[in-house]
Amino acid sequence: MSSADHATTAAAPPALRRVGAAPRRAGAYFGALGLAALAAVLPLWLFCSEPEPRRTAILVALGCALACVGAIAVFQRAAGGRRTYAAVAVAEFSGATGEPGAAEPDGPPRVLPSRRGMQGRSFAWSLGVCTALVTLLALVIGAPQRPEPMQRIADAGAEFAHVRVEKVSDVQFHDPSKGHDYYTSTAVVRLAPKAGGRPVTATVHPVTPDRPRAGGKVSVLYAPAHPGLGALAGDERSLGAALEGSTMGTGRVLIIGIAWAAGLVLSVVGLSLRHGFRSFSRLGGTDMAVRGTCLGPGFWQRDSQKQMCLKVVTASSRTAHFLAAVGEEHVPDSLTGQQLWLCWAARSGADGGRSSGGDTPAALVSDDGWVMHGTLKADDAQMMAAEGVSVEKAAAGNGESRALRLWDPHSAWPLYVAPSVLVLAAVLIGCAALLTFDITGVWRWVTGIAGAVAGLALVLLVTAAPHASKFRAAMSEGGTNPA
């Protein structure tokens, strides 16, 4: 969020009206369709061998992605215009399910709204960014169609053959620092016609491990029915993939596949670090809870590490730092002083055994009915265990279950996404579409770099918007700025 947005939010607090289901469903549909369209481009580019159908299919997929971008802009305008993330987040605390003055719950609930949607959205975002960047790289280094000489030979019925060398010139020896020595040269070869007729000669530029000589033989690709079209030096290993219509050779396909697989692994690791794998929707005997009072947003800090959190103090004055992406502009003033239940997975955090480095899944359950998922540090979980009680025991005396709802402003992202993000997404899609055409030389790399810059800027804007307070705090001397 920009400083202007923050000032506007501070001067005129948004009406506490929680976002309904329509923007959340729209976000899920737009996100799923956009990711599916994006994911289809890479396999089409790598494995479809017919240039024209391949280009058509890729352009259709990119058109679907662009339609999603346009639909988001239209939906946002129809919903009354763009809202700030802070306004959406504050409104998530409204619409309490409990009646004013209602008695506090006897204990924490056994069943919470699942965070599977949050986990899936985080994983899809990470994997989508990785897929977009890898796809852009594949589009840049690949060839959208056969070279014109090869296309003419292929249309006339191309074949590989070993032909006689009539004359050799411009022989050069190459001794690379890595790999085998080789020779390049200009050779005049004799091409035999398909049926009768006189042989014709053609000039080729072979690459051979041994010094070429007149009277020797080299492998070429030519059309026996029309030898006058000329020939290309090479064998099935060097020219086979291009002849079949592939955009790149097997080695490059393998590199692209490894890069995408690495992105997949990083996405899984990122999901583990941010949310973990447990849905934390059904609390069991190993989970604990404690009654506390919310002190409002703050920061957990240790050495150089700093994370946003909500502070919760118990009756014995123990203070826990509930780690969640919430700053001062994301919560209403009425949150401070609210009574709530803090629940956490005691076993996974006690030994610091999770892959997230000692974090354990946790949730805040308000008497008003909202549930916020986050994490606790292992030392906070151990400290709170002295006062906490088993959820299984604490919830045993509960009456009928309460209606709970998930605090999840990110699910309403079509309402707060910035217009600049949509513009950058359109630029990225446009660059990818241009790369399906026969752009050669430096312009191909310029187009690819422009798309990569647009993609990285898009990621930066999307990532920074919900965490504006964190960045402002890092810039300020005191650590926090006034709301």
PDB file of all heavy atoms in Angstrom, residues 399-425:
ATOM      1  N   GLY A 399     -21.243 -26.521  24.691  1.00  0.00           N
ATOM      2  CA  GLY A 399     -22.580 -26.840  24.215  1.00  0.00           C
ATOM      3  C   GLY A 399     -22.581 -27.014  22.710  1.00  0.00           C
ATOM      4  O   GLY A 399     -21.647 -27.563  22.133  1.00  0.00           O
ATOM      5  N   GLU A 400     -23.606 -26.495  22.053  1.00  0.00           N
ATOM      6  CA  GLU A 400     -23.669 -26.601  20.604  1.00  0.00           C
ATOM      7  C   GLU A 400     -22.550 -25.786  19.961  1.00  0.00           C
ATOM      8  O   GLU A 400     -22.113 -24.763  20.484  1.00  0.00           O
ATOM      9  CB  GLU A 400     -25.026 -26.132  20.096  1.00  0.00           C
ATOM     10  CG  GLU A 400     -25.352 -24.696  20.449  1.00  0.00           C
ATOM     11  CD  GLU A 400     -26.708 -24.269  19.933  1.00  0.00           C
ATOM     12  OE1 GLU A 400     -27.510 -25.164  19.610  1.00  0.00           O
ATOM     13  OE2 GLU A 400     -26.949 -23.057  19.856  1.00  0.00           O
ATOM     14  N   SER A 401     -22.049 -26.291  18.830  1.00  0.00           N
ATOM     15  CA  SER A 401     -20.919 -25.650  18.175  1.00  0.00           C
ATOM     16  C   SER A 401     -21.323 -24.284  17.610  1.00  0.00           C
ATOM     17  O   SER A 401     -22.446 -24.087  17.166  1.00  0.00           O
ATOM     18  CB  SER A 401     -20.392 -26.543  17.051  1.00  0.00           C
ATOM     19  OG  SER A 401     -21.428 -26.784  16.113  1.00  0.00           O
ATOM     20  N   ARG A 402     -20.381 -23.345  17.653  1.00  0.00           N
ATOM     21  CA  ARG A 402     -20.629 -21.997  17.145  1.00  0.00           C
ATOM     22  C   ARG A 402     -20.328 -21.936  15.651  1.00  0.00           C
ATOM     23  O   ARG A 402     -19.529 -22.714  15.136  1.00  0.00           O
ATOM     24  CB  ARG A 402     -19.746 -20.985  17.877  1.00  0.00           C
ATOM     25  CG  ARG A 402     -20.068 -20.809  19.331  1.00  0.00           C
ATOM     26  CD  ARG A 402     -19.207 -19.689  19.896  1.00  0.00           C
ATOM     27  NE  ARG A 402     -17.787 -20.043  19.919  1.00  0.00           N
ATOM     28  CZ  ARG A 402     -16.798 -19.182  19.755  1.00  0.00           C
ATOM     29  NH1 ARG A 402     -17.079 -17.901  19.526  1.00  0.00           N
ATOM     30  NH2 ARG A 402     -15.543 -19.562  19.801  1.00  0.00           N
ATOM     31  N   ALA A 403     -20.955 -21.004  14.972  1.00  0.00           N
ATOM     32  CA  ALA A 403     -20.631 -20.760  13.564  1.00  0.00           C
ATOM     33  C   ALA A 403     -19.370 -19.916  13.514  1.00  0.00           C
ATOM     34  O   ALA A 403     -19.315 -18.823  14.079  1.00  0.00           O
ATOM     35  CB  ALA A 403     -21.789 -20.050  12.868  1.00  0.00           C
ATOM     36  N   LEU A 404     -18.338 -20.428  12.860  1.00  0.00           N
ATOM     37  CA  LEU A 404     -17.056 -19.746  12.752  1.00  0.00           C
ATOM     38  C   LEU A 404     -16.762 -19.436  11.296  1.00  0.00           C
ATOM     39  O   LEU A 404     -17.200 -20.146  10.399  1.00  0.00           O
ATOM     40  CB  LEU A 404     -15.937 -20.616  13.339  1.00  0.00           C
ATOM     41  CG  LEU A 404     -16.083 -20.996  14.821  1.00  0.00           C
ATOM     42  CD1 LEU A 404     -14.982 -21.975  15.212  1.00  0.00           C
ATOM     43  CD2 LEU A 404     -16.042 -19.760  15.710  1.00  0.00           C
ATOM     44  N   ARG A 405     -16.002 -18.371  11.062  1.00  0.00           N
ATOM     45  CA  ARG A 405     -15.620 -18.014   9.701  1.00  0.00           C
ATOM     46  C   ARG A 405     -14.147 -17.642   9.684  1.00  0.00           C
ATOM     47  O   ARG A 405     -13.582 -17.159  10.671  1.00  0.00           O
ATOM     48  CB  ARG A 405     -16.470 -16.854   9.175  1.00  0.00           C
ATOM     49  CG  ARG A 405     -16.491 -15.644  10.089  1.00  0.00           C
ATOM     50  CD  ARG A 405     -17.344 -14.518   9.534  1.00  0.00           C
ATOM     51  NE  ARG A 405     -17.464 -13.413  10.451  1.00  0.00           N
ATOM     52  CZ  ARG A 405     -16.525 -12.521  10.694  1.00  0.00           C
ATOM     53  NH1 ARG A 405     -15.364 -12.622  10.065  1.00  0.00           N
ATOM     54  NH2 ARG A 405     -16.706 -11.543  11.557  1.00  0.00           N
ATOM     55  N   LEU A 406     -13.525 -17.868   8.545  1.00  0.00           N
ATOM     56  CA  LEU A 406     -12.086 -17.682   8.407  1.00  0.00           C
ATOM     57  C   LEU A 406     -11.747 -16.221   8.106  1.00  0.00           C
ATOM     58  O   LEU A 406     -12.369 -15.595   7.252  1.00  0.00           O
ATOM     59  CB  LEU A 406     -11.569 -18.580   7.282  1.00  0.00           C
ATOM     60  CG  LEU A 406     -10.061 -18.649   7.072  1.00  0.00           C
ATOM     61  CD1 LEU A 406      -9.383 -19.253   8.298  1.00  0.00           C
ATOM     62  CD2 LEU A 406      -9.745 -19.467   5.834  1.00  0.00           C
ATOM     63  N   TRP A 407     -10.754 -15.683   8.802  1.00  0.00           N
ATOM     64  CA  TRP A 407     -10.206 -14.369   8.475  1.00  0.00           C
ATOM     65  C   TRP A 407      -9.225 -14.571   7.329  1.00  0.00           C
ATOM     66  O   TRP A 407      -8.125 -15.075   7.502  1.00  0.00           O
ATOM     67  CB  TRP A 407      -9.506 -13.767   9.700  1.00  0.00           C
ATOM     68  CG  TRP A 407      -9.023 -12.359   9.502  1.00  0.00           C
ATOM     69  CD1 TRP A 407      -9.728 -11.217   9.751  1.00  0.00           C
ATOM     70  CD2 TRP A 407      -7.739 -11.932   9.021  1.00  0.00           C
ATOM     71  NE1 TRP A 407      -8.968 -10.109   9.456  1.00  0.00           N
ATOM     72  CE2 TRP A 407      -7.737 -10.513   9.002  1.00  0.00           C
ATOM     73  CE3 TRP A 407      -6.602 -12.600   8.594  1.00  0.00           C
ATOM     74  CZ2 TRP A 407      -6.639  -9.781   8.592  1.00  0.00           C
ATOM     75  CZ3 TRP A 407      -5.495 -11.875   8.176  1.00  0.00           C
ATOM     76  CH2 TRP A 407      -5.527 -10.478   8.175  1.00  0.00           C
ATOM     77  N   ASP A 408      -9.628 -14.168   6.134  1.00  0.00           N
ATOM     78  CA  ASP A 408      -8.813 -14.462   4.952  1.00  0.00           C
ATOM     79  C   ASP A 408      -9.007 -13.371   3.903  1.00  0.00           C
ATOM     80  O   ASP A 408      -9.665 -13.578   2.883  1.00  0.00           O
ATOM     81  CB  ASP A 408      -9.200 -15.833   4.382  1.00  0.00           C
ATOM     82  CG  ASP A 408      -8.281 -16.271   3.254  1.00  0.00           C
ATOM     83  OD1 ASP A 408      -7.196 -15.669   3.109  1.00  0.00           O
ATOM     84  OD2 ASP A 408      -8.643 -17.198   2.509  1.00  0.00           O
ATOM     85  N   PRO A 409      -8.435 -12.177   4.119  1.00  0.00           N
ATOM     86  CA  PRO A 409      -8.609 -11.099   3.131  1.00  0.00           C
ATOM     87  C   PRO A 409      -7.977 -11.413   1.785  1.00  0.00           C
ATOM     88  O   PRO A 409      -8.411 -10.890   0.767  1.00  0.00           O
ATOM     89  CB  PRO A 409      -7.932  -9.896   3.805  1.00  0.00           C
ATOM     90  CG  PRO A 409      -6.982 -10.486   4.798  1.00  0.00           C
ATOM     91  CD  PRO A 409      -7.637 -11.747   5.274  1.00  0.00           C
ATOM     92  N   HIS A 410      -6.947 -12.280   1.752  1.00  0.00           N
ATOM     93  CA  HIS A 410      -6.301 -12.597   0.476  1.00  0.00           C
ATOM     94  C   HIS A 410      -7.251 -13.288  -0.497  1.00  0.00           C
ATOM     95  O   HIS A 410      -7.053 -13.223  -1.712  1.00  0.00           O
ATOM     96  CB  HIS A 410      -5.076 -13.484   0.709  1.00  0.00           C
ATOM     97  CG  HIS A 410      -3.921 -12.762   1.330  1.00  0.00           C
ATOM     98  ND1 HIS A 410      -3.717 -12.727   2.693  1.00  0.00           N
ATOM     99  CD2 HIS A 410      -2.922 -12.030   0.781  1.00  0.00           C
ATOM    100  CE1 HIS A 410      -2.626 -12.018   2.952  1.00  0.00           C
ATOM    101  NE2 HIS A 410      -2.133 -11.575   1.813  1.00  0.00           N
ATOM    102  N   SER A 411      -8.275 -13.956   0.025  1.00  0.00           N
ATOM    103  CA  SER A 411      -9.210 -14.641  -0.869  1.00  0.00           C
ATOM    104  C   SER A 411     -10.053 -13.648  -1.674  1.00  0.00           C
ATOM    105  O   SER A 411     -10.655 -14.024  -2.682  1.00  0.00           O
ATOM    106  CB  SER A 411     -10.128 -15.566  -0.072  1.00  0.00           C
ATOM    107  OG  SER A 411     -10.911 -14.819   0.846  1.00  0.00           O
ATOM    108  N   ALA A 412     -10.089 -12.379  -1.253  1.00  0.00           N
ATOM    109  CA  ALA A 412     -10.835 -11.340  -1.976  1.00  0.00           C
ATOM    110  C   ALA A 412      -9.893 -10.477  -2.812  1.00  0.00           C
ATOM    111  O   ALA A 412     -10.166  -9.302  -3.048  1.00  0.00           O
ATOM    112  CB  ALA A 412     -11.623 -10.475  -0.991  1.00  0.00           C
ATOM    113  N   TRP A 413      -8.804 -11.078  -3.318  1.00  0.00           N
ATOM    114  CA  TRP A 413      -7.780 -10.305  -4.020  1.00  0.00           C
ATOM    115  C   TRP A 413      -8.284  -9.562  -5.259  1.00  0.00           C
ATOM    116  O   TRP A 413      -7.714  -8.519  -5.602  1.00  0.00           O
ATOM    117  CB  TRP A 413      -6.603 -11.213  -4.392  1.00  0.00           C
ATOM    118  CG  TRP A 413      -6.946 -12.341  -5.316  1.00  0.00           C
ATOM    119  CD1 TRP A 413      -7.328 -13.597  -4.981  1.00  0.00           C
ATOM    120  CD2 TRP A 413      -6.913 -12.311  -6.746  1.00  0.00           C
ATOM    121  NE1 TRP A 413      -7.550 -14.360  -6.084  1.00  0.00           N
ATOM    122  CE2 TRP A 413      -7.300 -13.601  -7.192  1.00  0.00           C
ATOM    123  CE3 TRP A 413      -6.606 -11.346  -7.693  1.00  0.00           C
ATOM    124  CZ2 TRP A 413      -7.390 -13.922  -8.544  1.00  0.00           C
ATOM    125  CZ3 TRP A 413      -6.693 -11.666  -9.038  1.00  0.00           C
ATOM    126  CH2 TRP A 413      -7.073 -12.935  -9.452  1.00  0.00           C
ATOM    127  N   PRO A 414      -9.341 -10.003  -5.972  1.00  0.00           N
ATOM    128  CA  PRO A 414      -9.791  -9.190  -7.114  1.00  0.00           C
ATOM    129  C   PRO A 414     -10.252  -7.788  -6.740  1.00  0.00           C
ATOM    130  O   PRO A 414     -10.290  -6.903  -7.597  1.00  0.00           O
ATOM    131  CB  PRO A 414     -10.956 -10.015  -7.690  1.00  0.00           C
ATOM    132  CG  PRO A 414     -10.665 -11.417  -7.291  1.00  0.00           C
ATOM    133  CD  PRO A 414     -10.072 -11.293  -5.919  1.00  0.00           C
ATOM    134  N   LEU A 415     -10.573  -7.568  -5.472  1.00  0.00           N
ATOM    135  CA  LEU A 415     -11.034  -6.244  -5.062  1.00  0.00           C
ATOM    136  C   LEU A 415      -9.887  -5.266  -4.787  1.00  0.00           C
ATOM    137  O   LEU A 415     -10.050  -4.064  -4.949  1.00  0.00           O
ATOM    138  CB  LEU A 415     -11.903  -6.357  -3.801  1.00  0.00           C
ATOM    139  CG  LEU A 415     -13.259  -7.058  -3.968  1.00  0.00           C
ATOM    140  CD1 LEU A 415     -13.990  -7.072  -2.639  1.00  0.00           C
ATOM    141  CD2 LEU A 415     -14.098  -6.365  -5.034  1.00  0.00           C
ATOM    142  N   TYR A 416      -8.719  -5.774  -4.373  1.00  0.00           N
ATOM    143  CA  TYR A 416      -7.646  -4.845  -3.994  1.00  0.00           C
ATOM    144  C   TYR A 416      -6.433  -4.883  -4.916  1.00  0.00           C
ATOM    145  O   TYR A 416      -5.492  -4.114  -4.724  1.00  0.00           O
ATOM    146  CB  TYR A 416      -7.200  -5.099  -2.542  1.00  0.00           C
ATOM    147  CG  TYR A 416      -6.520  -6.423  -2.283  1.00  0.00           C
ATOM    148  CD1 TYR A 416      -5.185  -6.635  -2.626  1.00  0.00           C
ATOM    149  CD2 TYR A 416      -7.194  -7.469  -1.649  1.00  0.00           C
ATOM    150  CE1 TYR A 416      -4.551  -7.830  -2.370  1.00  0.00           C
ATOM    151  CE2 TYR A 416      -6.576  -8.673  -1.392  1.00  0.00           C
ATOM    152  CZ  TYR A 416      -5.254  -8.843  -1.751  1.00  0.00           C
ATOM    153  OH  TYR A 416      -4.622 -10.051  -1.502  1.00  0.00           O
ATOM    154  N   VAL A 417      -6.419  -5.776  -5.915  1.00  0.00           N
ATOM    155  CA  VAL A 417      -5.268  -5.812  -6.820  1.00  0.00           C
ATOM    156  C   VAL A 417      -5.162  -4.474  -7.554  1.00  0.00           C
ATOM    157  O   VAL A 417      -6.156  -3.904  -8.005  1.00  0.00           O
ATOM    158  CB  VAL A 417      -5.393  -6.992  -7.803  1.00  0.00           C
ATOM    159  CG1 VAL A 417      -6.597  -6.829  -8.723  1.00  0.00           C
ATOM    160  CG2 VAL A 417      -4.128  -7.142  -8.634  1.00  0.00           C
ATOM    161  N   ALA A 418      -3.932  -3.957  -7.656  1.00  0.00           N
ATOM    162  CA  ALA A 418      -3.718  -2.632  -8.234  1.00  0.00           C
ATOM    163  C   ALA A 418      -3.799  -2.664  -9.754  1.00  0.00           C
ATOM    164  O   ALA A 418      -3.445  -3.666 -10.376  1.00  0.00           O
ATOM    165  CB  ALA A 418      -2.352  -2.091  -7.808  1.00  0.00           C
ATOM    166  N   PRO A 419      -4.263  -1.580 -10.396  1.00  0.00           N
ATOM    167  CA  PRO A 419      -4.300  -1.535 -11.866  1.00  0.00           C
ATOM    168  C   PRO A 419      -2.922  -1.753 -12.492  1.00  0.00           C
ATOM    169  O   PRO A 419      -2.814  -2.341 -13.567  1.00  0.00           O
ATOM    170  CB  PRO A 419      -4.830  -0.124 -12.156  1.00  0.00           C
ATOM    171  CG  PRO A 419      -5.597   0.254 -10.933  1.00  0.00           C
ATOM    172  CD  PRO A 419      -4.881  -0.394  -9.793  1.00  0.00           C
ATOM    173  N   SER A 420      -1.862  -1.283 -11.827  1.00  0.00           N
ATOM    174  CA  SER A 420      -0.514  -1.481 -12.373  1.00  0.00           C
ATOM    175  C   SER A 420      -0.163  -2.958 -12.471  1.00  0.00           C
ATOM    176  O   SER A 420       0.562  -3.380 -13.379  1.00  0.00           O
ATOM    177  CB  SER A 420       0.515  -0.759 -11.501  1.00  0.00           C
ATOM    178  OG  SER A 420       0.423  -1.188 -10.146  1.00  0.00           O
ATOM    179  N   VAL A 421      -0.682  -3.775 -11.549  1.00  0.00           N
ATOM    180  CA  VAL A 421      -0.443  -5.222 -11.610  1.00  0.00           C
ATOM    181  C   VAL A 421      -1.100  -5.819 -12.847  1.00  0.00           C
ATOM    182  O   VAL A 421      -0.514  -6.660 -13.550  1.00  0.00           O
ATOM    183  CB  VAL A 421      -0.971  -5.903 -10.329  1.00  0.00           C
ATOM    184  CG1 VAL A 421      -0.948  -7.418 -10.463  1.00  0.00           C
ATOM    185  CG2 VAL A 421      -0.156  -5.472  -9.118  1.00  0.00           C
ATOM    186  N   LEU A 422      -2.315  -5.369 -13.152  1.00  0.00           N
ATOM    187  CA  LEU A 422      -3.015  -5.870 -14.334  1.00  0.00           C
ATOM    188  C   LEU A 422      -2.301  -5.438 -15.612  1.00  0.00           C
ATOM    189  O   LEU A 422      -2.210  -6.213 -16.575  1.00  0.00           O
ATOM    190  CB  LEU A 422      -4.457  -5.367 -14.327  1.00  0.00           C
ATOM    191  CG  LEU A 422      -5.289  -5.732 -13.086  1.00  0.00           C
ATOM    192  CD1 LEU A 422      -6.702  -5.179 -13.216  1.00  0.00           C
ATOM    193  CD2 LEU A 422      -5.332  -7.241 -12.891  1.00  0.00           C
ATOM    194  N   VAL A 423      -1.780  -4.210 -15.625  1.00  0.00           N
ATOM    195  CA  VAL A 423      -1.038  -3.739 -16.801  1.00  0.00           C
ATOM    196  C   VAL A 423       0.228  -4.578 -17.007  1.00  0.00           C
ATOM    197  O   VAL A 423       0.550  -5.000 -18.121  1.00  0.00           O
ATOM    198  CB  VAL A 423      -0.689  -2.248 -16.656  1.00  0.00           C
ATOM    199  CG1 VAL A 423       0.246  -1.804 -17.773  1.00  0.00           C
ATOM    200  CG2 VAL A 423      -1.958  -1.404 -16.670  1.00  0.00           C
ATOM    201  N   LEU A 424       0.958  -4.840 -15.922  1.00  0.00           N
ATOM    202  CA  LEU A 424       2.174  -5.645 -16.022  1.00  0.00           C
ATOM    203  C   LEU A 424       1.862  -7.065 -16.462  1.00  0.00           C
ATOM    204  O   LEU A 424       2.623  -7.669 -17.234  1.00  0.00           O
ATOM    205  CB  LEU A 424       2.897  -5.659 -14.673  1.00  0.00           C
ATOM    206  CG  LEU A 424       3.563  -4.343 -14.260  1.00  0.00           C
ATOM    207  CD1 LEU A 424       4.049  -4.413 -12.819  1.00  0.00           C
ATOM    208  CD2 LEU A 424       4.721  -4.013 -15.193  1.00  0.00           C
ATOM    209  N   ALA A 425       0.752  -7.611 -15.991  1.00  0.00           N
ATOM    210  CA  ALA A 425       0.357  -8.954 -16.428  1.00  0.00           C
ATOM    211  C   ALA A 425       0.064  -8.969 -17.924  1.00  0.00           C
ATOM    212  O   ALA A 425       0.444  -9.913 -18.637  1.00  0.00           O
ATOM    213  CB  ALA A 425      -0.872  -9.418 -15.644  1.00  0.00           C
TER     214      ALA A 425
END
